[in-house]
């Protein structure tokens, strides 16, 4: 990656994430009819918006918390709380996104869990839930000894990047699947690249770019938080010692 400071890179990445959220919202509003909670197609539209916002953008923000230079000195506990809170927010939005698509399918008699996209998406969410629970139990609760936290830390980091890339793959495959289902009889076919297809394909490329940049930032050695053996870096949230 280019030798640039993290803050401007972070600002660019944040703008890219907001752009992804804005574009998926515009796609669902302009071409897919908007949003509703009636169980119809407009209920489904919450699914891509919430998944991109939670499972990709907010999750990516949570992953990059410890790359902020402000986290490299001083107490680590507030940054632990921010990291865990952002991840929890991403998980809540993801669950709401799943609820929207299952409600749409059930209301319209559409089978659930038959496509590769659905398998990959649900598997990603299940892995995400295990990752958050294991991280909370290991790094924030008082029962985990220091040796266990040290042992689990690289595993936690590895699966963090893995879940993000699975999230990106799930979102991109979902966009493609929706276009195949929507742009067929009665509409301009997907293969003829109507305006909606170009717009949604561009959205998919931007989501992929966002994920690649986040993983690249996580892998860059100069942006990693220096290891610290201070008491605060080893202290869980609910410890009796303050």
């Amino acid at each position: 990656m280019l030798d640039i400071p993290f803050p401007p890179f972070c600002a660019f990445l944040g703008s890219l994430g907001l752009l992804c959220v804005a574009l998926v919202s515009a796609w669902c509003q302009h071409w897919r009819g908007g949003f509703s909670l009636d169980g119809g197609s407009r209920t489904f539209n919450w699914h891509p918006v919430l998944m991109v916002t939670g499972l990709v953008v907010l999750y990516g923000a949570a992953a990059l918390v410890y790359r902020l230079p402000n986290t490299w000195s001083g107490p680590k506990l507030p940054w632990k709380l921010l990291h865990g809170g952002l991840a929890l927010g991403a998980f809540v939005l993801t669950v709401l996104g799943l609820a929207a698509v299952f409600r749409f399918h059930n209301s319209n008699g559409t089978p659930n869990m038959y496509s590769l996209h659905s398998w990959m998406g649900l598997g990603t969410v299940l892995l995400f839930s295990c990752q958050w629970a294991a991280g909370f139990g290991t790094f924030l609760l008082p029962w985990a000894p220091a040796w266990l936290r040290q042992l689990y830390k690289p595993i936690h980091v590895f699966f963090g990047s893995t879940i993000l890339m699975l999230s990106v793959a799930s979102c991109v495959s979902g966009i493609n699947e929706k276009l195949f289902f929507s742009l067929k009889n009665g509409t301009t076919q997907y293969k003829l690249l109507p305006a909606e297809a170009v717009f949604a394909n561009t959205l998919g490329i931007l989501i992929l770019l966002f994920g690649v940049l986040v993983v690249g930032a996580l892998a860059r050695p100069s942006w990693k938080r220096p290891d610290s053996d201070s008491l605060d870096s080893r202290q869980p949230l609910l410890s009796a010692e303050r």
Side-chain angles (χ1 to χ4, degrees), residues 179-180 183-184 187-198 201:
L179 289 174
F180 275 132
L183 301 182
K184 50 183 181 179
T187 64
T188 304
Q189 295 184 22
Y190 184 19
K191 66 182 179 181
L192 299 180
L193 278 184
E196 180 180 359
V198 175
N201 285 354

Side-chain angles (χ1 to χ4, degrees), residues 6 10 13-14 52-68 71 76 78-91 128 131-132 156-157 160-161 163-164 210 214-215 217-218:
F6 182 76
C10 187
L13 195 60
V52 171
T53 304
L55 205 54
V56 176
V57 177
L58 201 57
Y59 184 85
L64 289 176
V65 164
Y66 293 118
R67 299 303 184 269
L68 293 169
T71 69
K76 190 177 180 181
W79 302 106
K80 284 185 178 183
L81 294 175
L82 178 60
H83 174 73
L86 287 173
L88 180 60
F91 182 72
F128 182 11
Q131 167 87 342
W132 193 92
H156 185 76
V157 172
S161 297
I163 291 168
L164 178 61
F210 179 88
V214 172
V215 172
L218 293 174

Side-chain angles (χ1 to χ4, degrees), residues 11 18 37 43 71 107 109 113 138 197 206 212 220 224 227 242:
L18 291 175
L37 298 176
T43 298
T71 69
S107 297
M113 302 306 300
T138 303
L206 293 178
V212 169
R220 186 165 185 171
K224 292 183 179 180
D227 288 333
R242 296 286 175 164

Side-chain angles (χ1 to χ4, degrees), residues 15-35 41-42 44-57 93 170-172 174-176 178-179 196 198-207:
S15 300
L16 180 59
L18 291 175
L19 179 61
C20 289
V21 174
L23 290 183
V24 69
S25 302
W27 176 35
C28 293
Q29 179 66 44
H30 181 72
W31 279 287
R32 298 290 102 216
F35 303 92
S41 60
R42 293 187 299 166
F44 171 86
N45 289 340
W46 287 107
H47 176 66
V49 172
L50 291 172
M51 289 305 195
V52 171
T53 304
L55 205 54
V56 176
V57 177
L93 293 181
S170 298
C171 288
V172 170
I175 291 170
N176 204 39
K178 183 62 177 177
L179 289 174
E196 180 180 359
V198 175
F199 188 91
N201 285 354
T202 302
L203 168 63
I205 292 296
L206 293 178
I207 292 173

